[in-house]
Amino acid sequence: MNETEWRRIYGVSGGEKLPLVTIIAINWNYAAYLLTALRSAVAQDYPALEIIVLDNGSEDDSPALIRTFVEQNPQVRFIQLAQNIGQLGAAHHILTQHPVSGDYASFLDTDDFLFPHFISHHIRAHLLLNNGADVSTGDTLQVDRHGTIVAGNMPHWWKELGVDRPGWVDTAVTTHQDAPQRLSVTLIPPTQRRWCWYPGTSIVYRRPKIERLMRAIRDPIEVKFALDASAAPFCHTEGGSIMLNEPLSGYRIHGRNSSVTAPQLQHFDSGRASFEKGNKRQERWFRKNFRKQRTA
């Protein structure tokens, strides 16, 4: 699909070049799921893509699988590290040590996967709203290790009936087509401080904002630190967030997830992993080791 066709199909008028999006797949010992993730990246119907895959010192068959995949898909760049430096460390390495050209960046956990229209729906929302948001997030299906759907969406505190969401705006944006579509989105103000995003793969960031975050990082970065736990709140602080109210990716539950040990259902706690303590530890590290950067 070329850019003219994309604008027609997705209802986004304009003659300027579409923003480039970089998909960064970070892998560590996920050979069992890796190819599904990478195939979902190259299958995106968005026409302006850069794709990078980083192997984080895997000890399984991942490096060989990636090399074969890159031979078959030469548009994909491969970065191989000798040892695991963690998800946040890997993102920091890529964004500070390697050229990344995208106007937006999406970080793909290689146990998850993207639906073919994932990038298109995020970028369409940013272009149609043009509200200055630096981060967008979409709902996700939960699947088991075999890819079978076990939950149709991801539960969240703000989905509970009667929950106060000050400043949140549930709205619809209209596409630019002969038969316009009304797209349901939620605008979350920068004043929202409680975690409100879907898991890491579901998030798209403006690259200049997340690069500011990476430039602010001070070593050491613990291997267990998650990218989204720092990146989503940081990128949200000035322009807020766009929430897309539909599943756009698959979140795999398989026992090694950092945040859940079983499928999560609304109104039912099926058992959290020990991520809460780790998240608070990362937050303390964030406050201690990051320079305050309020403006660009």
Side-chain angles (χ1 to χ4, degrees):
M1 184 186 307
N2 62 37
E3 295 196 7
T4 300
E5 292 171 331
W6 185 90
R7 286 187 177 277
R8 176 179 57 80
I9 291 171
Y10 281 96
V12 182
S13 61
E16 65 276 11
K17 284 185 67 63
L18 291 173
L20 181 67
V21 179
T22 301
I23 298 176
I24 300 172
I26 297 175
N27 177 75
W28 182 61
N29 288 341
Y30 275 151
Y33 314 119
L34 171 62
L35 291 180
T36 298
L38 295 182
R39 287 168 182 155
S40 78
V42 300
Q44 293 298 298
D45 65 4
Y46 186 74
L49 282 180
E50 174 183 58
I51 303 174
I52 301 169
V53 55
L54 178 143
D55 184 74
N56 221 345
S58 291
E59 298 170 344
D60 61 5
D61 294 333
S62 294
L65 291 173
I66 296 171
R67 282 192 290 270
T68 300
F69 186 85
V70 171
E71 289 174 2
Q72 298 168 347
N73 298 272
Q75 76 274 30
V76 179
R77 276 165 49 202
F78 180 25
I79 300 169
Q80 187 170 7
L81 300 182
Q83 64 182 24
N84 179 21
I85 59 175
Q87 185 192 48
L88 180 58
H92 178 262
H93 175 83
I94 292 173
L95 290 171
T96 60
Q97 304 298 320
H98 296 271
V100 176
S101 303
D103 301 291
Y104 294 84
S106 165
F107 292 85
L108 171 59
D109 297 333
T110 53
D111 54 339
D112 300 334
F113 55 90
L114 309 174
F115 297 169
H117 52 273
F118 174 87
I119 296 295
S120 288
H121 280 226
H122 277 266
I123 298 305
R124 174 173 64 177
H126 281 280
L127 293 178
L128 291 177
L129 287 164
N130 193 27
N131 67 340
D134 289 312
V135 57
S136 55
T137 185
D139 209 338
T140 181
L141 299 181
Q142 297 179 68
V143 303
D144 66 14
R145 66 186 62 198
H146 305 295
T148 303
I149 297 173
V150 294
N153 59 15
M154 186 68 73
H156 238 308
W157 63 266
W158 48 261
K159 292 183 178 180
E160 300 287 345
L161 292 176
V163 168
D164 187 26
R165 304 183 302 166
W168 290 42
V169 177
D170 296 315
T171 187
V173 61
T174 303
T175 61
H176 307 153
Q177 292 164 306
D178 293 337
Q181 302 177 49
R182 297 275 289 171
L183 308 176
S184 172
V185 297
T186 299
L187 306 182
I188 307 174
T191 51
Q192 174 63 51
R193 290 293 179 259
R194 187 176 177 183
W195 179 267
C196 58
W197 303 272
Y198 291 103
T201 291
S202 72
I203 302 174
V204 172
Y205 306 93
R206 286 189 193 267
R207 179 183 56 82
K209 188 62 181 282
I210 197 169
E211 280 191 345
R212 282 177 50 196
L213 170 68
M214 296 304 162
R215 289 195 300 268
I217 284 180
R218 292 292 178 265
D219 289 333
I221 304 171
E222 291 193 21
V223 171
K224 291 185 177 181
F225 285 174
L227 171 65
D228 58 347
S230 293
F234 181 90
C235 293
H236 173 77
T237 54
E238 293 174 352
S241 299
I242 299 170
M243 184 173 291
L244 308 177
N245 298 317
E246 61 179 315
L248 297 172
S249 60
Y251 181 79
R252 198 182 300 271
I253 310 295
H254 53 78
R256 282 181 52 200
N257 310 76
S258 63
S259 58
V260 297
T261 56
Q264 300 295 292
L265 305 177
Q266 197 74 27
H267 315 298
F268 178 74
D269 184 0
S270 58
R272 301 287 293 181
S274 59
F275 184 66
E276 289 300 322
K277 291 182 180 178
N279 200 26
K280 291 177 182 177
R281 178 182 177 88
Q282 182 170 343
E283 183 178 356
R284 289 194 297 270
W285 169 83
F286 181 95
R287 294 179 181 278
K288 179 179 178 181
N289 293 287
F290 282 49
R291 291 197 305 251
K292 301 289 186 180
Q293 295 193 31
R294 298 187 62 85
T295 58

